[in-house]
CSV table of all heavy atoms in Angstrom, one decimal:
chain,number,residue,atom,x,y,z
A,311,ALA,N,110.9,66.9,97.7
A,311,ALA,CA,109.7,67.4,98.4
A,311,ALA,C,108.6,67.5,97.4
A,311,ALA,O,107.4,67.1,97.6
A,311,ALA,CB,110.0,68.7,99.1
A,312,SER,N,108.8,68.0,96.2
A,312,SER,CA,107.9,68.2,95.1
A,312,SER,C,107.4,66.9,94.5
A,312,SER,O,106.3,66.7,94.3
A,312,SER,CB,108.4,69.2,94.0
A,312,SER,OG,108.8,70.4,94.5
A,313,LEU,N,108.3,66.1,94.4
A,313,LEU,CA,108.0,64.7,93.8
A,313,LEU,C,107.1,63.9,94.8
A,313,LEU,O,106.2,63.3,94.4
A,313,LEU,CB,109.2,63.9,93.5
A,313,LEU,CG,110.1,64.4,92.3
A,313,LEU,CD1,111.5,63.7,92.3
A,313,LEU,CD2,109.4,64.3,91.0
A,314,LYS,N,107.4,64.1,96.0
A,314,LYS,CA,106.7,63.4,97.1
A,314,LYS,C,105.3,63.9,97.2
A,314,LYS,O,104.3,63.2,97.3
A,314,LYS,CB,107.4,63.5,98.5
A,314,LYS,CG,106.7,62.6,99.6
A,314,LYS,CD,107.7,62.6,100.8
A,314,LYS,CE,107.8,63.9,101.4
A,314,LYS,NZ,108.7,63.9,102.7
A,315,LYS,N,105.2,65.3,97.0
A,315,LYS,CA,103.9,65.9,97.1
A,315,LYS,C,103.0,65.4,95.9
A,315,LYS,O,101.7,65.3,96.1
A,315,LYS,CB,104.1,67.4,97.0
A,315,LYS,CG,102.7,68.2,97.0
A,315,LYS,CD,103.1,69.6,97.1
A,315,LYS,CE,101.7,70.4,97.1
A,315,LYS,NZ,102.0,72.0,97.0
A,316,GLU,N,103.6,65.1,94.7
A,316,GLU,CA,103.0,64.6,93.6
A,316,GLU,C,102.8,63.1,93.6
A,316,GLU,O,102.3,62.5,92.6
A,316,GLU,CB,103.7,65.1,92.3
A,316,GLU,CG,103.7,66.5,92.1
A,316,GLU,CD,102.4,67.0,91.5
A,316,GLU,OE1,101.5,66.2,91.0
A,316,GLU,OE2,102.1,68.2,91.7
A,317,SER,N,103.3,62.4,94.6
A,317,SER,CA,103.2,61.0,94.8
A,317,SER,C,104.0,60.2,93.7
A,317,SER,O,103.6,59.2,93.3
A,317,SER,CB,101.7,60.5,94.8
A,317,SER,OG,101.0,61.1,95.9
A,318,VAL,N,105.2,60.9,93.3
A,318,VAL,CA,106.0,60.2,92.4
A,318,VAL,C,107.0,59.4,93.1
A,318,VAL,O,107.7,59.8,94.0
A,318,VAL,CB,106.8,61.2,91.5
A,318,VAL,CG1,107.8,60.6,90.5
A,318,VAL,CG2,105.8,62.1,90.6
A,319,PRO,N,107.1,58.0,92.8
A,319,PRO,CA,108.0,57.2,93.6
A,319,PRO,C,109.5,57.5,93.4
A,319,PRO,O,110.0,57.5,92.3
A,319,PRO,CB,107.7,55.8,93.1
A,319,PRO,CG,107.1,56.0,91.7
A,319,PRO,CD,106.4,57.3,91.7
A,320,VAL,N,110.2,57.7,94.5
A,320,VAL,CA,111.6,58.0,94.6
A,320,VAL,C,112.2,57.1,95.7
A,320,VAL,O,111.8,57.1,96.8
A,320,VAL,CB,111.9,59.5,94.9
A,320,VAL,CG1,113.4,59.7,94.8
A,320,VAL,CG2,111.2,60.4,94.0
A,321,LYS,N,113.2,56.3,95.3
A,321,LYS,CA,113.9,55.4,96.3
A,321,LYS,C,115.3,55.7,96.5
A,321,LYS,O,116.0,55.5,97.4
A,321,LYS,CB,113.8,54.0,95.8
A,321,LYS,CG,112.4,53.4,95.8
A,321,LYS,CD,112.4,52.0,95.4
A,321,LYS,CE,111.0,51.4,95.2
A,321,LYS,NZ,111.0,50.0,94.7
A,322,ARG,N,116.0,56.3,95.4
A,322,ARG,CA,117.5,56.4,95.3
A,322,ARG,C,117.9,57.9,95.1
A,322,ARG,O,117.2,58.7,94.4
A,322,ARG,CB,118.1,55.5,94.3
A,322,ARG,CG,117.9,54.0,94.6
A,322,ARG,CD,118.2,53.1,93.4
A,322,ARG,NE,118.2,51.8,93.7
A,322,ARG,CZ,117.0,51.1,93.8
A,322,ARG,NH1,115.8,51.6,93.5
A,322,ARG,NH2,117.0,49.7,94.0
A,323,LEU,N,119.1,58.1,95.7
A,323,LEU,CA,119.8,59.4,95.4
A,323,LEU,C,121.2,59.2,95.0
A,323,LEU,O,121.9,58.5,95.8
A,323,LEU,CB,119.7,60.3,96.7
A,323,LEU,CG,120.5,61.6,96.5
A,323,LEU,CD1,120.0,62.6,95.6
A,323,LEU,CD2,120.7,62.3,97.9
A,324,ILE,N,121.5,59.6,93.8
A,324,ILE,CA,123.0,59.4,93.3
A,324,ILE,C,123.8,60.6,93.8
A,324,ILE,O,123.4,61.8,93.4
A,324,ILE,CB,123.0,59.2,91.8
A,324,ILE,CG1,122.3,57.9,91.4
A,324,ILE,CG2,124.4,59.2,91.3
A,324,ILE,CD1,122.2,57.7,89.9
A,325,ILE,N,124.9,60.4,94.5
A,325,ILE,CA,125.8,61.4,94.7
A,325,ILE,C,127.0,61.2,93.7
A,325,ILE,O,127.8,60.3,93.9
A,325,ILE,CB,126.4,61.4,96.1
A,325,ILE,CG1,125.2,61.3,97.1
A,325,ILE,CG2,127.2,62.7,96.4
A,325,ILE,CD1,125.6,61.1,98.5
A,326,ASN,N,127.1,62.1,92.7
A,326,ASN,CA,128.1,61.9,91.7
A,326,ASN,C,129.3,62.8,92.0
A,326,ASN,O,129.3,63.7,92.7
A,326,ASN,CB,127.5,62.4,90.3
A,326,ASN,CG,128.3,61.9,89.1
A,326,ASN,OD1,129.1,60.9,89.2
A,326,ASN,ND2,128.0,62.5,88.0
A,327,GLN,N,130.5,62.3,91.4
A,327,GLN,CA,131.7,63.0,91.5
A,327,GLN,C,132.4,63.1,92.9
A,327,GLN,O,132.8,64.2,93.3
A,327,GLN,CB,131.6,64.5,90.9
A,327,GLN,CG,131.2,64.4,89.4
A,327,GLN,CD,130.9,65.9,88.9
A,327,GLN,OE1,131.3,66.8,89.5
A,327,GLN,NE2,130.2,66.0,87.8
A,328,VAL,N,132.3,62.0,93.5
A,328,VAL,CA,132.8,61.9,94.9
A,328,VAL,C,134.3,61.7,95.0
A,328,VAL,O,134.9,60.8,94.3
A,328,VAL,CB,132.0,60.8,95.7
A,328,VAL,CG1,132.6,60.8,97.1
A,328,VAL,CG2,130.5,61.1,95.8
A,329,LEU,N,135.0,62.5,95.8
A,329,LEU,CA,136.5,62.4,95.9
A,329,LEU,C,136.8,61.3,96.9
A,329,LEU,O,136.0,61.0,97.8
A,329,LEU,CB,137.1,63.8,96.3
A,329,LEU,CG,137.1,64.9,95.2
A,329,LEU,CD1,137.3,66.2,95.9
A,329,LEU,CD2,138.1,64.6,94.2
A,330,PRO,N,138.1,60.9,96.9
A,330,PRO,CA,138.5,59.9,97.9
A,330,PRO,C,138.6,60.6,99.3
A,330,PRO,O,138.6,61.8,99.4
A,330,PRO,CB,139.9,59.5,97.4
A,330,PRO,CG,140.4,60.7,96.6
A,330,PRO,CD,139.2,61.2,96.0
A,331,PRO,N,138.5,59.7,100.4
A,331,PRO,CA,138.5,60.3,101.7
A,331,PRO,C,139.8,61.0,102.2
A,331,PRO,O,139.7,61.7,103.2
A,331,PRO,CB,138.1,59.0,102.5
A,331,PRO,CG,138.6,57.9,101.8
A,331,PRO,CD,138.4,58.3,100.4
A,332,THR,N,140.8,60.6,101.6
A,332,THR,CA,142.1,61.2,102.1
A,332,THR,C,143.0,61.6,100.9
A,332,THR,O,143.0,61.1,99.8
A,332,THR,CB,143.0,60.1,102.8
A,332,THR,OG1,143.2,59.0,102.0
A,332,THR,CG2,142.2,59.8,104.2
A,333,SER,N,143.9,62.6,101.2
A,333,SER,CA,144.9,63.0,100.2
A,333,SER,C,146.0,63.9,100.8
A,333,SER,O,145.8,64.4,101.8
A,333,SER,CB,144.1,64.0,99.1
A,333,SER,OG,145.0,64.5,98.2
A,334,ASP,N,147.1,63.8,100.2
A,334,ASP,CA,148.3,64.6,100.6
A,334,ASP,C,148.2,66.0,100.1
A,334,ASP,O,149.0,66.9,100.5
A,334,ASP,CB,149.6,64.0,100.3
A,334,ASP,CG,149.7,62.6,100.9
A,334,ASP,OD1,149.2,62.4,102.0
A,334,ASP,OD2,150.4,61.8,100.3
A,335,CYS,N,147.4,66.3,99.1
A,335,CYS,CA,147.3,67.6,98.5
A,335,CYS,C,146.4,68.5,99.4
A,335,CYS,O,145.3,68.2,99.8
A,335,CYS,CB,146.7,67.4,97.1
A,335,CYS,SG,146.0,68.9,96.4
A,336,LYS,N,146.9,69.8,99.7
A,336,LYS,CA,146.1,70.7,100.6
A,336,LYS,C,144.8,71.1,99.9
A,336,LYS,O,143.8,71.1,100.6
A,336,LYS,CB,147.0,71.9,100.9
A,336,LYS,CG,146.3,72.9,101.8
A,336,LYS,CD,147.2,74.0,102.1
A,336,LYS,CE,146.5,75.0,103.1
A,336,LYS,NZ,147.4,76.2,103.5
A,337,PHE,N,144.9,71.4,98.7
A,337,PHE,CA,143.7,71.8,97.9
A,337,PHE,C,142.7,70.6,97.9
A,337,PHE,O,141.5,70.9,98.2
A,337,PHE,CB,144.0,72.3,96.5
A,337,PHE,CG,142.8,72.5,95.7
A,337,PHE,CD1,142.1,73.7,95.7
A,337,PHE,CD2,142.3,71.5,94.7
A,337,PHE,CE1,141.0,74.0,95.0
A,337,PHE,CE2,141.2,71.8,93.9
A,337,PHE,CZ,140.6,73.1,94.1
A,338,CYS,N,143.2,69.5,97.6
A,338,CYS,CA,142.4,68.3,97.6
A,338,CYS,C,141.6,68.0,98.9
A,338,CYS,O,140.5,67.7,99.0
A,338,CYS,CB,143.1,67.0,97.2
A,338,CYS,SG,144.1,67.3,95.8
A,339,SER,N,142.4,68.2,100.0
A,339,SER,CA,141.9,68.0,101.4
A,339,SER,C,140.7,68.9,101.7
A,339,SER,O,139.8,68.5,102.3
A,339,SER,CB,143.0,68.1,102.4
A,339,SER,OG,144.0,67.2,102.2
A,340,MET,N,140.9,70.2,101.2
A,340,MET,CA,139.8,71.2,101.4
A,340,MET,C,138.6,70.8,100.7
A,340,MET,O,137.5,70.8,101.2
A,340,MET,CB,140.3,72.5,101.0
A,340,MET,CG,141.4,73.2,101.9
A,340,MET,SD,142.1,74.6,101.2
A,340,MET,CE,140.6,75.7,101.1
A,341,LYS,N,138.8,70.3,99.4
A,341,LYS,CA,137.5,69.9,98.6
A,341,LYS,C,137.0,68.7,99.3
A,341,LYS,O,135.7,68.6,99.2
A,341,LYS,CB,138.1,69.6,97.2
A,341,LYS,CG,138.5,70.8,96.4
A,341,LYS,CD,137.4,71.8,96.2
A,341,LYS,CE,136.3,71.3,95.3
A,341,LYS,NZ,135.3,72.3,95.0
A,342,ILE,N,137.8,67.8,99.8
A,342,ILE,CA,137.2,66.5,100.4
A,342,ILE,C,136.4,66.9,101.6
A,342,ILE,O,135.3,66.3,101.8
A,342,ILE,CB,138.3,65.6,100.8
A,342,ILE,CG1,139.0,65.0,99.5
A,342,ILE,CG2,137.8,64.5,101.7
A,342,ILE,CD1,140.3,64.3,99.7
Side-chain angles (χ1 to χ4, degrees):
S312 299
L313 292 170
K314 186 167 65 174
K315 184 179 179 181
E316 292 286 340
S317 301
V318 176
V320 183
K321 296 180 182 178
R322 294 168 176 83
L323 173 68
I324 295 174
I325 312 171
N326 196 17
Q327 302 176 11
V328 178
L329 288 163
T332 58
S333 175
D334 296 332
C335 163
K336 183 178 179 181
F337 174 81
C338 311
S339 297
M340 292 173 60
K341 293 295 294 182
I342 291 166

